[in-house]
Amino acid sequence: MTKFITHIATIEIPVTNLKNAINFYSEILGVKTHSLAAQSAMLTFSTKGVPTLYLVQTEENVSLSFKNTNNAVVHSIIDFYTPDLKGFYNWLKEKNVEVATLNINHDSGYGGFSFKDPDGNTFSACNILHPGQ
């Protein structure tokens, strides 16, 4: 087992308009701008162990998602954690953010939903904490 990699440092996200993307991620996820360049920005949750988000302005608009060919479900690449899944879902809808159906397992109370940024990148929000989180 390797001891070289200990956690995820940065998640890189393609955006077509850096200023709009910074505003979206700052408002929706509550991140702060750590560093800013002409065509990129590093955003932080300011929480130890949580990766930064590196927004890179590009003309290539490739959405962060993939289709599971086993069941045709479109998956996000990144799932964000929230302790208040229903509250976050309703707040995003009030902000006119595109959201999918809220799915909650009635037995466990765990669930999630997907939402999109202004570039069509698909993300998910869930209320599930995994071991070590």
Side-chain angles (χ1 to χ4, degrees):
M1 183 165 109
T2 181
K3 300 287 184 184
F4 294 107
I5 303 297
T6 61
H7 65 279
I8 296 171
T10 303
I11 298 170
E12 300 186 21
I13 301 172
V15 299
T16 57
N17 183 308
L18 185 61
K19 182 179 178 183
N20 287 349
I22 291 170
N23 290 338
F24 175 85
Y25 287 93
S26 296
E27 179 180 3
I28 299 303
L29 300 180
V31 293
K32 305 289 183 215
T33 301
H34 174 67
S35 65
L36 179 63
Q39 296 179 332
S40 64
M42 188 71 71
L43 308 179
T44 180
F45 286 95
S46 299
T47 302
K48 183 178 180 175
V50 176
T52 58
L53 303 178
Y54 184 54
L55 306 182
V56 179
Q57 185 167 302
T58 178
E59 292 179 16
E60 183 178 57
N61 189 5
V62 178
S63 178
L64 295 180
S65 66
F66 68 94
K67 181 179 178 180
N68 180 337
T69 57
N70 298 299
N71 58 17
V73 171
V74 175
H75 290 265
S76 66
I77 305 268
I78 303 166
D79 294 346
F80 293 103
Y81 171 77
T82 177
D84 183 3
L85 192 62
K86 288 181 185 178
F88 185 52
Y89 179 82
N90 291 328
W91 184 77
L92 288 177
K93 287 181 77 169
E94 290 172 11
K95 295 284 186 184
N96 295 314
V97 173
E98 184 179 341
V99 295
T101 303
L102 174 60
N103 297 301
I104 298 178
N105 180 299
H106 294 290
D107 294 331
S108 68
Y110 293 130
F113 64 91
S114 65
F115 64 97
K116 291 187 178 184
D117 77 357
D119 285 293
N121 291 312
T122 301
F123 301 102
S124 291
C126 70
N127 62 348
I128 301 166
L129 285 175
H130 300 284
Q133 294 181 324

